Amino acid sequence: MIEIQNLVKIYESGKQKVKGVQDVSLTINDGEIFGIVGYSGAGKSTLLRCINMLEWPTSGNVKIDGVDLTSLSRQELRRARQKIGMIFQHFHLVRSKTVFDNVAFALKAAGKSKQEIRNKVDDLLEMVGLQDKRDAYPSQLSGGQKQRVGIARALANDPNVLLCDEATSALDPGTTRQILLLLKKINQELGITIVLITHEMGVVKEICDRIAVMQDGKIIECGEVYELFARPEEPLTRSFIDSVLQLELPEHLVKNRRGTLVRLQYRGEAASDTVISDMLQSFRVKGNIIHGKIEYIQNKPLGILVLELIGDESEVKRAIDFMHERTGGLEVIEHAA
């Protein structure tokens, strides 16, 4: 378990003080994939680097499995870091060394024997699907292959925690999906806790169990991925989610509408409910479907439907109340006619 308590990180430049992280408290459970989301400058990478003390907090505590890293000596911290793997956006591979030697580096530093190193590296390269690239150099690899080497290297000392700093931001969408599936496989097979920093909500949707949304060095919202997608409270969280679910209607679909536009959200089992047909049969209104889709998040459906309701004002209101009661997720779009 990772426990972050009242963490503050202040950078000083001359007389100026900039707060990179402001009083963050957070608990990350064993074995989960935890996402930290925010735009550039939100403080998410600083927070991640404080977890393994690459950035020393100005105040506050970071505990991993009950051990307060801020209280350790340099030697004790070096030993503790062996159980915290880290992968980076730009890979950080040694160009002059082969794939084998890049992965073996941490094992050599830990004093492992040649046979132990050989066996471990071969196992890791098989896990990340790079057995045939054992003797290749980084310049001969694609971006996805370089990141696989980075993942294998981070796993060399059998860490309990894997920190991922924008691990897919330099990759194309297809390669990003492959890397995310690999991380999910590692999490499930090895039980490693993964903390994933990203500015892409699609990455979070793909593999995370819980997320924290950061803004101006603070966590403004935190919870299970499905719940935040279904019920975002903060405007920033909503904007992130809208970018993934593509809920913004083009202006030409809204313009010159005669009725009331509503956005209906189905959660869980309600995504397959007959609420629309029941509403049309129960009230004297007509309904036009303007936009609709169903997303699957953590294997649970989340449905979004935009309707134009045409009819007498009182009937439309009754229909809206009916659908809201059935789904618990209905919004009248303000710019509707």
PDB file of all heavy atoms in Angstrom, residues 188-224:
ATOM      1  N   GLN A 188      -1.861  -8.175 -13.442  1.00  0.00           N
ATOM      2  CA  GLN A 188      -2.666  -9.346 -13.102  1.00  0.00           C
ATOM      3  C   GLN A 188      -1.812 -10.560 -12.768  1.00  0.00           C
ATOM      4  O   GLN A 188      -2.119 -11.305 -11.838  1.00  0.00           O
ATOM      5  CB  GLN A 188      -3.608  -9.673 -14.264  1.00  0.00           C
ATOM      6  CG  GLN A 188      -4.700  -8.633 -14.466  1.00  0.00           C
ATOM      7  CD  GLN A 188      -5.532  -8.869 -15.716  1.00  0.00           C
ATOM      8  OE1 GLN A 188      -5.122  -9.596 -16.634  1.00  0.00           O
ATOM      9  NE2 GLN A 188      -6.707  -8.265 -15.772  1.00  0.00           N
ATOM     10  N   GLU A 189      -0.731 -10.753 -13.504  1.00  0.00           N
ATOM     11  CA  GLU A 189       0.085 -11.960 -13.312  1.00  0.00           C
ATOM     12  C   GLU A 189       1.072 -11.827 -12.152  1.00  0.00           C
ATOM     13  O   GLU A 189       1.349 -12.807 -11.457  1.00  0.00           O
ATOM     14  CB  GLU A 189       0.837 -12.294 -14.599  1.00  0.00           C
ATOM     15  CG  GLU A 189      -0.083 -12.733 -15.736  1.00  0.00           C
ATOM     16  CD  GLU A 189       0.680 -13.165 -16.973  1.00  0.00           C
ATOM     17  OE1 GLU A 189       1.946 -13.168 -16.931  1.00  0.00           O
ATOM     18  OE2 GLU A 189       0.033 -13.520 -17.973  1.00  0.00           O
ATOM     19  N   LEU A 190       1.592 -10.624 -11.942  1.00  0.00           N
ATOM     20  CA  LEU A 190       2.609 -10.428 -10.900  1.00  0.00           C
ATOM     21  C   LEU A 190       2.070  -9.728  -9.658  1.00  0.00           C
ATOM     22  O   LEU A 190       2.751  -9.673  -8.640  1.00  0.00           O
ATOM     23  CB  LEU A 190       3.785  -9.631 -11.466  1.00  0.00           C
ATOM     24  CG  LEU A 190       4.494 -10.215 -12.695  1.00  0.00           C
ATOM     25  CD1 LEU A 190       5.656  -9.330 -13.115  1.00  0.00           C
ATOM     26  CD2 LEU A 190       4.968 -11.641 -12.436  1.00  0.00           C
ATOM     27  N   GLY A 191       0.858  -9.187  -9.746  1.00  0.00           N
ATOM     28  CA  GLY A 191       0.267  -8.502  -8.592  1.00  0.00           C
ATOM     29  C   GLY A 191       0.937  -7.200  -8.236  1.00  0.00           C
ATOM     30  O   GLY A 191       0.824  -6.718  -7.100  1.00  0.00           O
ATOM     31  N   ILE A 192       1.626  -6.586  -9.200  1.00  0.00           N
ATOM     32  CA  ILE A 192       2.348  -5.343  -8.935  1.00  0.00           C
ATOM     33  C   ILE A 192       1.382  -4.162  -8.928  1.00  0.00           C
ATOM     34  O   ILE A 192       0.516  -4.043  -9.794  1.00  0.00           O
ATOM     35  CB  ILE A 192       3.438  -5.120 -10.006  1.00  0.00           C
ATOM     36  CG1 ILE A 192       4.527  -6.200  -9.877  1.00  0.00           C
ATOM     37  CG2 ILE A 192       4.062  -3.733  -9.882  1.00  0.00           C
ATOM     38  CD1 ILE A 192       5.592  -6.106 -10.952  1.00  0.00           C
ATOM     39  N   THR A 193       1.537  -3.294  -7.951  1.00  0.00           N
ATOM     40  CA  THR A 193       0.774  -2.042  -7.910  1.00  0.00           C
ATOM     41  C   THR A 193       1.347  -1.096  -8.953  1.00  0.00           C
ATOM     42  O   THR A 193       2.551  -0.855  -8.993  1.00  0.00           O
ATOM     43  CB  THR A 193       0.881  -1.397  -6.518  1.00  0.00           C
ATOM     44  OG1 THR A 193       0.425  -2.322  -5.526  1.00  0.00           O
ATOM     45  CG2 THR A 193       0.051  -0.116  -6.449  1.00  0.00           C
ATOM     46  N   ILE A 194       0.480  -0.558  -9.816  1.00  0.00           N
ATOM     47  CA  ILE A 194       0.927   0.341 -10.875  1.00  0.00           C
ATOM     48  C   ILE A 194       0.319   1.725 -10.659  1.00  0.00           C
ATOM     49  O   ILE A 194      -0.888   1.859 -10.469  1.00  0.00           O
ATOM     50  CB  ILE A 194       0.543  -0.199 -12.266  1.00  0.00           C
ATOM     51  CG1 ILE A 194       1.271  -1.535 -12.539  1.00  0.00           C
ATOM     52  CG2 ILE A 194       0.870   0.821 -13.362  1.00  0.00           C
ATOM     53  CD1 ILE A 194       0.912  -2.174 -13.875  1.00  0.00           C
ATOM     54  N   VAL A 195       1.184   2.735 -10.673  1.00  0.00           N
ATOM     55  CA  VAL A 195       0.737   4.135 -10.614  1.00  0.00           C
ATOM     56  C   VAL A 195       1.069   4.753 -11.959  1.00  0.00           C
ATOM     57  O   VAL A 195       2.231   4.780 -12.369  1.00  0.00           O
ATOM     58  CB  VAL A 195       1.420   4.919  -9.478  1.00  0.00           C
ATOM     59  CG1 VAL A 195       0.853   6.330  -9.408  1.00  0.00           C
ATOM     60  CG2 VAL A 195       1.244   4.195  -8.150  1.00  0.00           C
ATOM     61  N   LEU A 196       0.042   5.242 -12.637  1.00  0.00           N
ATOM     62  CA  LEU A 196       0.184   5.674 -14.021  1.00  0.00           C
ATOM     63  C   LEU A 196      -0.173   7.144 -14.163  1.00  0.00           C
ATOM     64  O   LEU A 196      -1.290   7.552 -13.853  1.00  0.00           O
ATOM     65  CB  LEU A 196      -0.726   4.789 -14.892  1.00  0.00           C
ATOM     66  CG  LEU A 196      -0.580   4.823 -16.396  1.00  0.00           C
ATOM     67  CD1 LEU A 196      -0.949   3.461 -16.976  1.00  0.00           C
ATOM     68  CD2 LEU A 196      -1.466   5.890 -17.012  1.00  0.00           C
ATOM     69  N   ILE A 197       0.805   7.932 -14.600  1.00  0.00           N
ATOM     70  CA  ILE A 197       0.595   9.365 -14.835  1.00  0.00           C
ATOM     71  C   ILE A 197       0.245   9.571 -16.303  1.00  0.00           C
ATOM     72  O   ILE A 197       0.908   9.043 -17.194  1.00  0.00           O
ATOM     73  CB  ILE A 197       1.890  10.148 -14.518  1.00  0.00           C
ATOM     74  CG1 ILE A 197       2.235  10.053 -13.037  1.00  0.00           C
ATOM     75  CG2 ILE A 197       1.752  11.608 -14.942  1.00  0.00           C
ATOM     76  CD1 ILE A 197       1.258  10.710 -12.136  1.00  0.00           C
ATOM     77  N   THR A 198      -0.792  10.359 -16.571  1.00  0.00           N
ATOM     78  CA  THR A 198      -1.175  10.611 -17.963  1.00  0.00           C
ATOM     79  C   THR A 198      -2.021  11.871 -18.051  1.00  0.00           C
ATOM     80  O   THR A 198      -2.582  12.333 -17.060  1.00  0.00           O
ATOM     81  CB  THR A 198      -1.961   9.409 -18.538  1.00  0.00           C
ATOM     82  OG1 THR A 198      -2.242   9.635 -19.920  1.00  0.00           O
ATOM     83  CG2 THR A 198      -3.271   9.194 -17.784  1.00  0.00           C
ATOM     84  N   HIS A 199      -2.091  12.436 -19.263  1.00  0.00           N
ATOM     85  CA  HIS A 199      -3.035  13.521 -19.526  1.00  0.00           C
ATOM     86  C   HIS A 199      -4.137  13.028 -20.466  1.00  0.00           C
ATOM     87  O   HIS A 199      -4.956  13.810 -20.921  1.00  0.00           O
ATOM     88  CB  HIS A 199      -2.311  14.726 -20.147  1.00  0.00           C
ATOM     89  CG  HIS A 199      -1.683  14.428 -21.480  1.00  0.00           C
ATOM     90  ND1 HIS A 199      -0.409  13.905 -21.604  1.00  0.00           N
ATOM     91  CD2 HIS A 199      -2.149  14.551 -22.747  1.00  0.00           C
ATOM     92  CE1 HIS A 199      -0.124  13.730 -22.883  1.00  0.00           C
ATOM     93  NE2 HIS A 199      -1.174  14.119 -23.600  1.00  0.00           N
ATOM     94  N   GLU A 200      -4.137  11.707 -20.721  1.00  0.00           N
ATOM     95  CA  GLU A 200      -5.097  11.126 -21.650  1.00  0.00           C
ATOM     96  C   GLU A 200      -6.118  10.270 -20.898  1.00  0.00           C
ATOM     97  O   GLU A 200      -5.769   9.219 -20.363  1.00  0.00           O
ATOM     98  CB  GLU A 200      -4.371  10.277 -22.689  1.00  0.00           C
ATOM     99  CG  GLU A 200      -3.356  11.065 -23.516  1.00  0.00           C
ATOM    100  CD  GLU A 200      -2.501  10.176 -24.388  1.00  0.00           C
ATOM    101  OE1 GLU A 200      -1.622   9.488 -23.837  1.00  0.00           O
ATOM    102  OE2 GLU A 200      -2.731  10.163 -25.605  1.00  0.00           O
ATOM    103  N   MET A 201      -7.350  10.720 -20.890  1.00  0.00           N
ATOM    104  CA  MET A 201      -8.393   9.978 -20.176  1.00  0.00           C
ATOM    105  C   MET A 201      -8.668   8.626 -20.828  1.00  0.00           C
ATOM    106  O   MET A 201      -9.123   7.690 -20.173  1.00  0.00           O
ATOM    107  CB  MET A 201      -9.675  10.815 -20.124  1.00  0.00           C
ATOM    108  CG  MET A 201     -10.563  10.494 -18.953  1.00  0.00           C
ATOM    109  SD  MET A 201      -9.783  10.943 -17.392  1.00  0.00           S
ATOM    110  CE  MET A 201     -11.144  10.739 -16.259  1.00  0.00           C
ATOM    111  N   GLY A 202      -8.376   8.500 -22.127  1.00  0.00           N
ATOM    112  CA  GLY A 202      -8.550   7.221 -22.796  1.00  0.00           C
ATOM    113  C   GLY A 202      -7.646   6.145 -22.230  1.00  0.00           C
ATOM    114  O   GLY A 202      -8.008   4.967 -22.176  1.00  0.00           O
ATOM    115  N   VAL A 203      -6.447   6.535 -21.791  1.00  0.00           N
ATOM    116  CA  VAL A 203      -5.510   5.599 -21.155  1.00  0.00           C
ATOM    117  C   VAL A 203      -6.088   5.104 -19.839  1.00  0.00           C
ATOM    118  O   VAL A 203      -6.072   3.909 -19.530  1.00  0.00           O
ATOM    119  CB  VAL A 203      -4.143   6.285 -20.937  1.00  0.00           C
ATOM    120  CG1 VAL A 203      -3.252   5.448 -20.023  1.00  0.00           C
ATOM    121  CG2 VAL A 203      -3.457   6.534 -22.267  1.00  0.00           C
ATOM    122  N   VAL A 204      -6.631   6.040 -19.053  1.00  0.00           N
ATOM    123  CA  VAL A 204      -7.252   5.697 -17.767  1.00  0.00           C
ATOM    124  C   VAL A 204      -8.417   4.736 -17.983  1.00  0.00           C
ATOM    125  O   VAL A 204      -8.572   3.737 -17.285  1.00  0.00           O
ATOM    126  CB  VAL A 204      -7.738   6.981 -17.069  1.00  0.00           C
ATOM    127  CG1 VAL A 204      -8.672   6.659 -15.920  1.00  0.00           C
ATOM    128  CG2 VAL A 204      -6.552   7.787 -16.573  1.00  0.00           C
ATOM    129  N   LYS A 205      -9.269   5.054 -18.948  1.00  0.00           N
ATOM    130  CA  LYS A 205     -10.446   4.238 -19.250  1.00  0.00           C
ATOM    131  C   LYS A 205     -10.060   2.805 -19.601  1.00  0.00           C
ATOM    132  O   LYS A 205     -10.766   1.854 -19.287  1.00  0.00           O
ATOM    133  CB  LYS A 205     -11.209   4.890 -20.403  1.00  0.00           C
ATOM    134  CG  LYS A 205     -12.347   4.080 -20.982  1.00  0.00           C
ATOM    135  CD  LYS A 205     -13.019   4.868 -22.091  1.00  0.00           C
ATOM    136  CE  LYS A 205     -13.907   4.002 -22.945  1.00  0.00           C
ATOM    137  NZ  LYS A 205     -13.151   3.109 -23.838  1.00  0.00           N
ATOM    138  N   GLU A 206      -8.894   2.668 -20.239  1.00  0.00           N
ATOM    139  CA  GLU A 206      -8.471   1.353 -20.729  1.00  0.00           C
ATOM    140  C   GLU A 206      -8.090   0.398 -19.606  1.00  0.00           C
ATOM    141  O   GLU A 206      -8.475  -0.775 -19.629  1.00  0.00           O
ATOM    142  CB  GLU A 206      -7.282   1.533 -21.672  1.00  0.00           C
ATOM    143  CG  GLU A 206      -6.964   0.324 -22.530  1.00  0.00           C
ATOM    144  CD  GLU A 206      -7.967   0.094 -23.643  1.00  0.00           C
ATOM    145  OE1 GLU A 206      -8.543   1.059 -24.166  1.00  0.00           O
ATOM    146  OE2 GLU A 206      -8.192  -1.087 -23.959  1.00  0.00           O
ATOM    147  N   ILE A 207      -7.339   0.864 -18.597  1.00  0.00           N
ATOM    148  CA  ILE A 207      -6.787  -0.118 -17.641  1.00  0.00           C
ATOM    149  C   ILE A 207      -6.899   0.240 -16.159  1.00  0.00           C
ATOM    150  O   ILE A 207      -6.671  -0.623 -15.305  1.00  0.00           O
ATOM    151  CB  ILE A 207      -5.300  -0.444 -17.945  1.00  0.00           C
ATOM    152  CG1 ILE A 207      -4.409   0.794 -17.739  1.00  0.00           C
ATOM    153  CG2 ILE A 207      -5.130  -1.007 -19.322  1.00  0.00           C
ATOM    154  CD1 ILE A 207      -2.927   0.448 -17.718  1.00  0.00           C
ATOM    155  N   CYS A 208      -7.210   1.487 -15.821  1.00  0.00           N
ATOM    156  CA  CYS A 208      -7.123   1.879 -14.403  1.00  0.00           C
ATOM    157  C   CYS A 208      -8.317   1.404 -13.586  1.00  0.00           C
ATOM    158  O   CYS A 208      -9.440   1.301 -14.094  1.00  0.00           O
ATOM    159  CB  CYS A 208      -6.992   3.391 -14.267  1.00  0.00           C
ATOM    160  SG  CYS A 208      -5.397   4.018 -14.833  1.00  0.00           S
ATOM    161  N   ASP A 209      -8.066   1.144 -12.303  1.00  0.00           N
ATOM    162  CA  ASP A 209      -9.122   0.804 -11.346  1.00  0.00           C
ATOM    163  C   ASP A 209      -9.674   2.072 -10.695  1.00  0.00           C
ATOM    164  O   ASP A 209     -10.881   2.240 -10.568  1.00  0.00           O
ATOM    165  CB  ASP A 209      -8.566  -0.118 -10.254  1.00  0.00           C
ATOM    166  CG  ASP A 209      -8.028  -1.417 -10.821  1.00  0.00           C
ATOM    167  OD1 ASP A 209      -8.762  -2.092 -11.556  1.00  0.00           O
ATOM    168  OD2 ASP A 209      -6.855  -1.736 -10.534  1.00  0.00           O
ATOM    169  N   ARG A 210      -8.777   2.961 -10.272  1.00  0.00           N
ATOM    170  CA  ARG A 210      -9.175   4.236  -9.676  1.00  0.00           C
ATOM    171  C   ARG A 210      -8.310   5.346 -10.252  1.00  0.00           C
ATOM    172  O   ARG A 210      -7.221   5.091 -10.767  1.00  0.00           O
ATOM    173  CB  ARG A 210      -9.017   4.209  -8.144  1.00  0.00           C
ATOM    174  CG  ARG A 210      -9.994   3.293  -7.424  1.00  0.00           C
ATOM    175  CD  ARG A 210     -10.002   3.557  -5.920  1.00  0.00           C
ATOM    176  NE  ARG A 210      -8.690   3.368  -5.335  1.00  0.00           N
ATOM    177  CZ  ARG A 210      -8.154   4.184  -4.422  1.00  0.00           C
ATOM    178  NH1 ARG A 210      -8.799   5.253  -4.017  1.00  0.00           N
ATOM    179  NH2 ARG A 210      -6.962   3.919  -3.914  1.00  0.00           N
ATOM    180  N   ILE A 211      -8.806   6.584 -10.128  1.00  0.00           N
ATOM    181  CA  ILE A 211      -8.039   7.717 -10.620  1.00  0.00           C
ATOM    182  C   ILE A 211      -8.152   8.906  -9.667  1.00  0.00           C
ATOM    183  O   ILE A 211      -9.124   9.035  -8.926  1.00  0.00           O
ATOM    184  CB  ILE A 211      -8.487   8.178 -12.027  1.00  0.00           C
ATOM    185  CG1 ILE A 211      -9.991   8.478 -12.059  1.00  0.00           C
ATOM    186  CG2 ILE A 211      -8.100   7.205 -13.082  1.00  0.00           C
ATOM    187  CD1 ILE A 211     -10.434   9.118 -13.360  1.00  0.00           C
ATOM    188  N   ALA A 212      -7.133   9.759  -9.741  1.00  0.00           N
ATOM    189  CA  ALA A 212      -7.166  11.066  -9.082  1.00  0.00           C
ATOM    190  C   ALA A 212      -6.945  12.112 -10.167  1.00  0.00           C
ATOM    191  O   ALA A 212      -6.089  11.947 -11.035  1.00  0.00           O
ATOM    192  CB  ALA A 212      -6.078  11.162  -8.019  1.00  0.00           C
ATOM    193  N   VAL A 213      -7.734  13.173 -10.132  1.00  0.00           N
ATOM    194  CA  VAL A 213      -7.600  14.269 -11.085  1.00  0.00           C
ATOM    195  C   VAL A 213      -6.885  15.417 -10.390  1.00  0.00           C
ATOM    196  O   VAL A 213      -7.300  15.851  -9.312  1.00  0.00           O
ATOM    197  CB  VAL A 213      -8.982  14.724 -11.602  1.00  0.00           C
ATOM    198  CG1 VAL A 213      -8.821  15.851 -12.635  1.00  0.00           C
ATOM    199  CG2 VAL A 213      -9.741  13.553 -12.214  1.00  0.00           C
ATOM    200  N   MET A 214      -5.781  15.906 -11.018  1.00  0.00           N
ATOM    201  CA  MET A 214      -4.990  16.972 -10.413  1.00  0.00           C
ATOM    202  C   MET A 214      -5.130  18.275 -11.184  1.00  0.00           C
ATOM    203  O   MET A 214      -5.234  18.295 -12.409  1.00  0.00           O
ATOM    204  CB  MET A 214      -3.505  16.582 -10.356  1.00  0.00           C
ATOM    205  CG  MET A 214      -3.182  15.546  -9.309  1.00  0.00           C
ATOM    206  SD  MET A 214      -1.396  15.431  -8.998  1.00  0.00           S
ATOM    207  CE  MET A 214      -1.093  16.954  -8.061  1.00  0.00           C
ATOM    208  N   GLN A 215      -5.113  19.370 -10.427  1.00  0.00           N
ATOM    209  CA  GLN A 215      -5.140  20.715 -11.001  1.00  0.00           C
ATOM    210  C   GLN A 215      -4.414  21.651 -10.046  1.00  0.00           C
ATOM    211  O   GLN A 215      -4.684  21.648  -8.839  1.00  0.00           O
ATOM    212  CB  GLN A 215      -6.585  21.183 -11.204  1.00  0.00           C
ATOM    213  CG  GLN A 215      -6.725  22.519 -11.909  1.00  0.00           C
ATOM    214  CD  GLN A 215      -8.178  22.882 -12.159  1.00  0.00           C
ATOM    215  OE1 GLN A 215      -9.067  22.523 -11.389  1.00  0.00           O
ATOM    216  NE2 GLN A 215      -8.438  23.581 -13.246  1.00  0.00           N
ATOM    217  N   ASP A 216      -3.463  22.406 -10.577  1.00  0.00           N
ATOM    218  CA  ASP A 216      -2.705  23.375  -9.764  1.00  0.00           C
ATOM    219  C   ASP A 216      -2.096  22.737  -8.517  1.00  0.00           C
ATOM    220  O   ASP A 216      -2.119  23.315  -7.424  1.00  0.00           O
ATOM    221  CB  ASP A 216      -3.613  24.537  -9.356  1.00  0.00           C
ATOM    222  CG  ASP A 216      -4.150  25.311 -10.554  1.00  0.00           C
ATOM    223  OD1 ASP A 216      -3.420  25.396 -11.559  1.00  0.00           O
ATOM    224  OD2 ASP A 216      -5.283  25.815 -10.484  1.00  0.00           O
ATOM    225  N   GLY A 217      -1.554  21.536  -8.682  1.00  0.00           N
ATOM    226  CA  GLY A 217      -0.859  20.875  -7.585  1.00  0.00           C
ATOM    227  C   GLY A 217      -1.749  20.185  -6.578  1.00  0.00           C
ATOM    228  O   GLY A 217      -1.256  19.590  -5.613  1.00  0.00           O
ATOM    229  N   LYS A 218      -3.078  20.242  -6.777  1.00  0.00           N
ATOM    230  CA  LYS A 218      -4.019  19.643  -5.834  1.00  0.00           C
ATOM    231  C   LYS A 218      -4.812  18.519  -6.496  1.00  0.00           C
ATOM    232  O   LYS A 218      -5.020  18.537  -7.706  1.00  0.00           O
ATOM    233  CB  LYS A 218      -5.001  20.695  -5.312  1.00  0.00           C
ATOM    234  CG  LYS A 218      -4.361  21.876  -4.607  1.00  0.00           C
ATOM    235  CD  LYS A 218      -5.418  22.912  -4.246  1.00  0.00           C
ATOM    236  CE  LYS A 218      -4.804  24.140  -3.596  1.00  0.00           C
ATOM    237  NZ  LYS A 218      -5.830  25.164  -3.298  1.00  0.00           N
ATOM    238  N   ILE A 219      -5.258  17.578  -5.682  1.00  0.00           N
ATOM    239  CA  ILE A 219      -6.201  16.570  -6.162  1.00  0.00           C
ATOM    240  C   ILE A 219      -7.601  17.137  -5.974  1.00  0.00           C
ATOM    241  O   ILE A 219      -8.021  17.435  -4.849  1.00  0.00           O
ATOM    242  CB  ILE A 219      -6.028  15.248  -5.408  1.00  0.00           C
ATOM    243  CG1 ILE A 219      -4.707  14.590  -5.810  1.00  0.00           C
ATOM    244  CG2 ILE A 219      -7.199  14.298  -5.714  1.00  0.00           C
ATOM    245  CD1 ILE A 219      -4.391  13.308  -5.110  1.00  0.00           C
ATOM    246  N   ILE A 220      -8.318  17.294  -7.086  1.00  0.00           N
ATOM    247  CA  ILE A 220      -9.646  17.908  -7.012  1.00  0.00           C
ATOM    248  C   ILE A 220     -10.765  16.871  -7.031  1.00  0.00           C
ATOM    249  O   ILE A 220     -11.902  17.182  -6.663  1.00  0.00           O
ATOM    250  CB  ILE A 220      -9.857  18.921  -8.150  1.00  0.00           C
ATOM    251  CG1 ILE A 220      -9.742  18.244  -9.520  1.00  0.00           C
ATOM    252  CG2 ILE A 220      -8.868  20.067  -8.023  1.00  0.00           C
ATOM    253  CD1 ILE A 220     -10.169  19.139 -10.668  1.00  0.00           C
ATOM    254  N   GLU A 221     -10.444  15.641  -7.460  1.00  0.00           N
ATOM    255  CA  GLU A 221     -11.468  14.587  -7.489  1.00  0.00           C
ATOM    256  C   GLU A 221     -10.772  13.241  -7.535  1.00  0.00           C
ATOM    257  O   GLU A 221      -9.743  13.082  -8.183  1.00  0.00           O
ATOM    258  CB  GLU A 221     -12.388  14.764  -8.693  1.00  0.00           C
ATOM    259  CG  GLU A 221     -13.673  13.973  -8.612  1.00  0.00           C
ATOM    260  CD  GLU A 221     -14.758  14.493  -9.551  1.00  0.00           C
ATOM    261  OE1 GLU A 221     -14.516  15.465 -10.305  1.00  0.00           O
ATOM    262  OE2 GLU A 221     -15.859  13.918  -9.513  1.00  0.00           O
ATOM    263  N   CYS A 222     -11.335  12.258  -6.858  1.00  0.00           N
ATOM    264  CA  CYS A 222     -10.705  10.941  -6.781  1.00  0.00           C
ATOM    265  C   CYS A 222     -11.783   9.878  -6.611  1.00  0.00           C
ATOM    266  O   CYS A 222     -12.756  10.086  -5.876  1.00  0.00           O
ATOM    267  CB  CYS A 222      -9.721  10.896  -5.613  1.00  0.00           C
ATOM    268  SG  CYS A 222      -8.812   9.343  -5.439  1.00  0.00           S
ATOM    269  N   GLY A 223     -11.609   8.746  -7.278  1.00  0.00           N
ATOM    270  CA  GLY A 223     -12.577   7.678  -7.108  1.00  0.00           C
ATOM    271  C   GLY A 223     -12.392   6.566  -8.129  1.00  0.00           C
ATOM    272  O   GLY A 223     -11.423   6.555  -8.908  1.00  0.00           O
ATOM    273  N   GLU A 224     -13.304   5.605  -8.131  1.00  0.00           N
ATOM    274  CA  GLU A 224     -13.272   4.519  -9.103  1.00  0.00           C
ATOM    275  C   GLU A 224     -13.526   5.068 -10.501  1.00  0.00           C
ATOM    276  O   GLU A 224     -14.295   6.013 -10.688  1.00  0.00           O
ATOM    277  CB  GLU A 224     -14.320   3.458  -8.764  1.00  0.00           C
ATOM    278  CG  GLU A 224     -14.012   2.690  -7.490  1.00  0.00           C
ATOM    279  CD  GLU A 224     -14.998   1.559  -7.257  1.00  0.00           C
ATOM    280  OE1 GLU A 224     -15.871   1.337  -8.126  1.00  0.00           O
ATOM    281  OE2 GLU A 224     -14.889   0.901  -6.206  1.00  0.00           O
TER     282      GLU A 224
END
